[in-house]
Amino acid sequence: MTAADSAEAQRYDPRAIQEKWQARWAELDSFRASDDPADPRERAYLLDMFPYPSGDLHMGHAEAYAIGDAMARYWFQLGRNVLHPIGWDAFGLPAENAAIRNNAHPADWTYANIETQAESFKRYAVSFDWSRRLATCDPDYYRWNQWLFLRFYERDLAYRKDGYVNWCPKDQTVLANEQVINGRCERCGTEVVRRTLTQWYFRITSYADQLLADAAELEGKWPDRVLLMQRNWIGRSEGVEVEFRIEGRDEPVTVFTTRPDTLYGATFFVLAADSPLASELCAPDRRDQLQAYVEDVRKLTDIERQATGREKTGVFLGVHAINPVNDEPIPVWAADYVLPDYGTGAIMAVPAHDQRDLDFALAFGLPVRVVVHTGLADPAETGVATPGEGELVNSGPLDGLSKGEAITRIVQLLAGKGLGRTAVNYRLRDWLLSRQRFWGTPIPIIHCPACGEVPVPEEDLPVVLPDLRGADLAPKGVSPLAAATDWVNVACPKCGGAAKRDTDTMDTFVDSSWYFLRYCSPHYDQGPFDAEQVRRWAPVDLYVGGVEHAILHLLYSRFFVKVLHDMGLTEFREPFTRLLNQGQVINGGKAMSKSLGNGVDLGQQLAAHGVDAIRLTMVFASPPEDDIDWADVKPEAMVKFLGRAYRLAADVAAAGPAAAGTAAADGSVDLRRVTHHTIDEVTRLIEAYRLNVTVARLMELVTAARRTIDTGPGAGDPAVREAAEVLAVLLSVFAPYTAEECWELLGREASVAKAGWPQADPDLLVAESVTCVVQVNGKVRDRLEVAPSVAEDDLREAALSAPGVIRALGGQSIRKVIVRAPKLVNIVAN
RNA sequence: GCGGGCGUGGCGAAAUAGGUAUACGCGCCAGGUUUAGGUCCUGGUGGUGGCGACACCGUGGGGGUUCGAGUCCCCCCGCCCGCACCA
């Protein structure tokens, strides 16, 4: 039979195969994780970041889940007891906006989309344990958000304060710092403005040092850039706090500085214009000026405020601070370049050695005093500050010292007088978690005029959302919940008097900060999770998802787990042992978007090429962490390859019903070598997430088997059957439908997904001969086929007499011969 | 501005530990199967020169270390990402 005949006889029909196996698999239910403590299999937890149910699955999902599923299915093949769950991140704005448009309840839209996605996941053949599915908008889920909030509240990790917060004018809600991207709302792209509001926060800053320290554990297991981004975001900064007396005030004002060595160069003092301290210290005759300035500052969006090269602005407050090292009075200014929520909101300004201070000094004619001799030109004249190191000058007892010496000395001096101490500051701010929107978890607090903040008693949880819909949900700047008066007005749990519920809802990142723990016992009703099950399954062994969560979700989840650990609820302090960030699917060099009209519809792609070809395209196109440009990619090529794999199995089946386990040893040794090499290499490649190369190796195996069929031994050769069976198992992690069909053609019983990963025979991994490269002066001049065990001397001799070598030498004298048996000889001649 | 990463054929990309550069796929060329097209199969395909065996050049550019560099070191150029007045 020729290959062409076989093509005619066996047509690869992905659609028919999909329909057939989707039904059969539903019965087999192969991917259920076992909670049985007696189950001897090694447990493994693979998690894909759960989707937001905004519609049907899209191309990005197709890539992410193809990668995660390949790893999960590989683990199943290794015989592990794998937890591979799925759920939905189901609270959030799009549902609410859709509900307003359609005069409906957000739940209708949300649950309908969840059903759509669930069906798509099944068709996409992802190996989920469907018995554990959850949605964060289920009261059974979000009651535990409320429970956790109350535990945080008890521990003083949840608190309410007035703050100068990020406000999205379009979505009419506050945003966490992490949700402001380049001054714009992460969700809708609107420019964020600032507002002063009373809001709930999680005290994530209490864990800043732990978040930083434990990141070291993740080194080599998480992508470097994610760890780097988290470190930068936390922004630890070591410095010194120095107390400055203020004229006419009893209490000193503390500043934070990383350059205490330049203290003698401080020529003025700056307060954040919008800090309470600025208005307090302001001289009465300057009040109006300050107020006008602060109003101007607040009108600025973050974008404007952060514009580079913006001119420095500020107001002199009419008072002076006293430099503690020399009792020199320096003027106190208010300016917006000092931030109210970093350090103490006050700085000593050293214009000679800090560019921002210099810009300010030059704008307002303030003195510039050089106290570090850097050898560079005078900053007052060049306008360029000299932040570098050098010898201290004009600094009294510090003169002549280096930066390091000066810092040590000044800290001693200040500490002796009780005017300073070393200190650490973080860029990280507390997590603002309240939102003025409907479709989220109600904050379980009751405000009582008599008792103040009163937690909702545990037995009253969950606080279920009232049944608002349509126009009632429209954003008004206060939470829509406030309009549900029946819901809002309650008796105070403490005193029984009239009280009101808190009307804000939680940031949806609260939901996703612990969902991976809920999967371990999704129906548990005594707490957010069964600690026993969590102890067995968690932490997550491999977490697969996009890098867009490098800070937000991943930092929040790490914070949650640390708190839970301190509460005694988990034994681990890091939620995700390993992290794999897949790239994005783009089109024509750009992210897919409606406005560009370059969107690619996943459903159409699946209909056109079949699930397996799309899954294979996703893993073959590039390394998992790189973007895939759909314009550069040809799913047709994958259909072609899958057809070749399918025909291989079909030809083996047609050649005769050789029983499983036929002595493969009787077959073609050359092919067996390829097969076992493939097993060996593919195993290592998958372990390293090198999925694109893995697929290349499978293609080579198919080619080798086909060549064996065509060049003599034929499809009946036991080595060909072995190759076909191995291929079906290896292929099952990427292309489950085709693999299952091949497996059945080969006379094996479903499911190939649980067939077991093949073992490479070590005897077949030893090459019979290897190609030795012979170089002359580093250039390849000949090749020799030699035994792997060839002796160095024999190899040297063979190399020196190789024809290509003799020609290249042309009588030159040999200076040196480097032999790296058995692969290389380099002859140095001149 | 600060921090980090990346530059390999026409394209997506391979290259254990410094040892055959370009695996695999796309595209292209030629041939086979086919009434034809498509499918499928086989072979070829970095550049320049040569009928040819071959020779020279070649991993963004320049230098260095080494018997040997895509890989290590230094400088430069280009692109991408993160942070962005954090004292």
Side-chain angles (χ1 to χ4, degrees):
Chain A
M1 166 186 301
T2 69
D5 290 339
S6 107
E8 208 52 47
Q10 298 288 344
R11 198 175 220 101
Y12 172 63
D13 182 349
R15 263 153 301 248
I17 294 172
Q18 274 171 226
E19 261 172 57
K20 171 178 164 186
W21 288 108
Q22 208 180 316
R24 296 269 291 275
W25 286 339
E27 291 163 27
L28 288 172
D29 192 20
S30 299
F31 304 113
R32 198 181 278 256
S34 166
D35 283 332
D36 181 359
D39 194 313
R41 294 174 298 165
E42 181 190 342
R43 285 174 187 249
Y45 188 175
L46 191 142
L47 185 64
D48 301 293
M49 287 185 187
F50 64 171
Y52 182 80
S54 56
D56 202 351
L57 299 181
H58 52 64
M59 296 299 284
H61 292 121
E63 183 188 7
Y65 292 97
I67 291 165
D69 197 44
M71 296 309 300
R73 285 174 175 272
Y74 168 65
W75 289 0
F76 277 111
Q77 291 287 22
L78 292 178
R80 294 180 184 161
N81 183 11
V82 181
L83 175 57
H84 187 204
I86 185 65
W88 280 270
D89 186 14
F91 270 139
L93 270 180
E96 205 166 325
N97 293 335
I100 295 164
R101 277 197 307 276
N102 305 323
N103 193 32
H105 194 281
D108 301 340
W109 183 88
T110 302
Y111 283 107
N113 284 338
I114 287 175
E115 271 321 303
T116 304
Q117 292 195 349
E119 284 314 303
S120 294
F121 274 132
K122 286 175 183 169
R123 182 181 48 175
Y124 202 58
V126 189
S127 61
F128 291 134
D129 177 350
W130 284 99
S131 71
R132 292 170 192 258
R133 73 185 260 185
L134 57 81
T136 56
C137 62
D138 294 338
D140 279 351
Y141 185 89
Y142 72 71
R143 71 176 293 183
W144 301 114
N145 281 345
Q146 294 170 339
W147 186 91
L148 287 164
F149 176 92
L150 293 175
R151 298 293 86 75
F152 279 46
Y153 184 75
E154 286 164 7
R155 302 174 75 86
D156 194 32
L157 291 171
Y159 66 97
R160 217 157 78 114
K161 71 166 182 192
D162 291 339
Y164 189 47
V165 301
N166 306 296
W167 176 264
C168 173
K170 173 143 183 287
D171 292 338
Q172 295 271 301
T173 184
V174 298
L175 300 169
N177 263 329
E178 288 82 355
Q179 288 164 323
V180 180
I181 311 294
N182 293 329
R184 292 174 184 275
C185 172
E186 182 221 12
R187 272 226 108 68
C188 67
T190 306
E191 281 190 25
V192 165
V193 297
R194 293 288 191 154
R195 271 199 171 187
T196 305
L197 288 171
T198 307
Q199 298 287 308
W200 287 97
Y201 292 82
F202 278 144
R203 210 180 292 281
I204 190 172
T205 51
S206 297
Y207 282 82
D209 52 349
Q210 274 193 49
L211 287 164
L212 204 56
D214 291 349
E217 271 176 42
L218 303 173
E219 206 78 56
K221 298 174 181 171
W222 280 32
D224 288 343
R225 67 170 167 159
V226 173
L227 291 176
L228 186 75
M229 281 165 72
Q230 292 217 348
R231 289 193 178 107
N232 290 344
W233 190 261
I234 295 165
R236 183 188 155 93
S237 172
E238 288 181 16
V240 173
E241 284 178 353
V242 185
E243 290 182 7
F244 279 68
R245 232 173 61 239
I246 307 288
E247 284 173 350
R249 189 177 195 260
D250 295 336
E251 282 289 301
V253 173
T254 305
V255 301
F256 174 76
T257 177
T258 53
R259 291 297 301 276
D261 55 313
T262 62
L263 202 39
Y264 284 85
T267 54
F268 58 102
F269 194 95
V270 189
L271 297 170
D274 42 5
S275 65
L277 205 53
S279 34
E280 186 206 315
L281 293 185
C282 187
D285 59 323
R286 305 255 169 186
R287 286 258 152 81
D288 292 349
Q289 230 184 310
L290 175 65
Q291 215 168 347
Y293 177 62
V294 170
E295 268 168 40
D296 285 348
V297 169
R298 294 204 168 172
K299 276 184 207 145
L300 297 175
T301 63
D302 272 21
I303 297 231
E304 291 161 336
R305 189 163 174 172
Q306 289 167 6
T308 46
R310 210 176 121 240
E311 273 191 23
K312 290 282 183 286
T313 55
V315 173
F316 174 50
L317 295 183
V319 292
H320 288 78
I322 308 300
N323 189 334
V325 290
N326 56 9
D327 292 331
E328 184 183 358
I330 53 176
V332 177
W333 287 68
D336 67 352
Y337 84 93
V338 173
L339 307 176
D341 51 359
Y342 182 79
T344 60
I347 64 156
M348 63 172 204
V350 184
H353 307 297
D354 182 287
Q355 190 61 48
R356 298 156 297 183
D357 296 343
L358 182 60
D359 292 343
F360 193 86
L362 294 177
F364 292 99
L366 295 160
V368 179
R369 185 188 306 151
V370 172
V371 292
V372 179
H373 181 72
T374 58
L376 297 170
D378 183 4
E381 276 159 30
T382 60
V384 179
T386 56
E389 300 202 18
E391 191 185 305
L392 275 282
V393 293
N394 298 326
S395 295
L398 305 182
D399 281 352
L401 299 181
S402 70
K403 176 182 169 185
E405 292 163 348
I407 289 177
T408 308
R409 184 86 190 99
I410 195 77
V411 170
Q412 280 170 0
L413 288 173
L414 290 168
K417 291 194 256 180
L419 294 174
R421 63 211 72 88
T422 56
V424 173
N425 252 294
Y426 295 95
R427 213 189 72 105
L428 182 70
R429 309 294 149 88
D430 277 339
W431 171 9
L432 198 174
L433 77 117
S434 31
R435 294 291 179 276
Q436 291 69 49
R437 297 297 300 239
F438 170 76
W439 193 228
T441 304
I443 289 174
I445 291 286
I446 290 165
H447 298 282
C448 170
C451 311
E453 289 169 7
V454 182
V456 173
E458 207 170 314
E459 61 269 23
D460 292 343
L461 298 184
V463 177
V464 178
L465 285 167
D467 186 19
L468 297 180
R469 55 185 60 231
D472 292 340
L473 302 175
K476 304 163 182 74
V478 293
S479 173
L481 291 177
T485 47
D486 289 354
W487 182 87
V488 170
N489 292 308
V490 286
C492 169
K494 238 184 209 167
C495 69
K500 288 182 188 297
R501 291 192 187 280
D502 197 293
T503 56
D504 283 351
T505 52
M506 296 183 200
D507 183 1
T508 57
F509 279 102
V510 175
D511 313 350
S512 53
S513 291
W514 65 280
Y515 78 110
F516 44 92
L517 301 174
R518 185 70 183 167
Y519 282 137
C520 299
S521 51
H523 310 295
Y524 190 65
D525 62 3
Q526 303 299 303
F529 50 84
D530 178 348
E532 185 68 14
Q533 293 301 337
V534 162
R535 194 177 56 76
R536 293 203 187 110
W537 287 114
V540 172
D541 294 293
L542 176 62
Y543 197 25
V544 180
V547 74
E548 65 273 17
H549 292 110
I551 293 175
L552 288 152
H553 163 54
L554 291 172
L555 192 66
Y556 293 150
S557 297
R558 294 183 62 217
F559 163 60
F560 256 60
V561 164
K562 287 178 197 313
V563 175
L564 292 169
H565 173 266
D566 289 352
M567 288 166 60
L569 291 174
T570 69
E571 289 170 355
F572 46 89
R573 295 198 314 208
E574 284 294 333
F576 313 118
T577 305
R578 284 178 183 277
L579 175 67
L580 177 57
N581 286 137
Q582 89 282 353
Q584 289 189 295
V585 184
I586 60 175
N587 191 14
K590 296 202 175 70
M592 294 185 194
S593 75
K594 273 186 196 136
S595 56
L596 287 172
N598 65 342
V600 176
D601 183 73
L602 175 61
Q604 282 172 17
Q605 292 294 316
L606 294 174
H609 308 290
V611 168
D612 283 352
I614 295 303
R615 289 177 53 129
L616 211 50
T617 303
M618 293 295 180
V619 292
F620 181 64
S622 66
E625 54 277 9
D626 288 7
D627 287 351
I628 297 172
D629 193 332
W630 205 249
D632 292 337
V633 138
K634 281 273 191 319
E636 293 86 347
M638 299 302 107
V639 178
K640 186 170 150 184
F641 163 64
L642 290 167
R644 276 160 56 85
Y646 172 85
R647 279 189 303 279
L648 176 62
D651 287 355
V652 171
T662 305
D666 296 340
S668 158
V669 177
D670 287 346
L671 178 57
R672 298 205 67 212
R673 284 218 166 86
V674 175
T675 303
H676 287 260
H677 251 113
T678 302
I679 296 169
D680 181 59
E681 217 186 337
V682 157
T683 306
R684 281 180 286 127
L685 288 166
I686 294 185
E687 292 284 352
Y689 316 128
R690 313 263 321 274
L691 305 183
N692 55 328
V693 188
T694 304
V695 176
R697 296 295 167 262
L698 299 187
M699 290 172 169
E700 288 172 318
L701 179 58
V702 171
T703 301
R706 173 55 59 192
R707 185 164 295 140
T708 306
I709 293 174
D710 290 347
T711 57
D717 188 294
V720 176
R721 165 166 283 271
E722 181 187 45
E725 292 192 353
V726 164
L727 179 76
V729 178
L730 302 185
L731 190 60
S732 74
V733 305
F734 302 116
Y737 289 112
T738 307
E740 194 76 88
E741 185 72 11
C742 290
W743 197 239
E744 190 186 58
L745 280 170
L746 293 165
R748 309 295 300 265
E749 204 165 305
S751 168
V752 69
K754 292 292 193 75
W757 198 248
Q759 289 271 328
D761 180 346
D763 291 343
L764 289 165
L765 297 181
V766 182
E768 207 168 39
S769 72
V770 298
T771 304
C772 176
V773 171
V774 187
Q775 300 176 331
V776 175
N777 291 334
K779 286 181 179 167
V780 182
R781 296 302 183 183
D782 214 330
R783 292 182 170 81
L784 304 168
E785 283 301 311
V786 299
S789 58
V790 65
E792 244 187 53
D793 290 343
D794 295 347
L795 188 57
R796 177 184 291 112
E797 203 169 314
L800 287 169
S801 54
V805 171
I806 290 166
R807 186 170 51 231
L809 281 173
Q812 295 176 89
S813 60
I814 293 163
R815 282 205 311 200
K816 193 167 164 190
V817 180
I818 288 123
V819 183
R820 295 280 178 275
K823 293 189 72 174
L824 179 130
V825 177
N826 189 15
I827 298 160
V828 185
N830 60 0

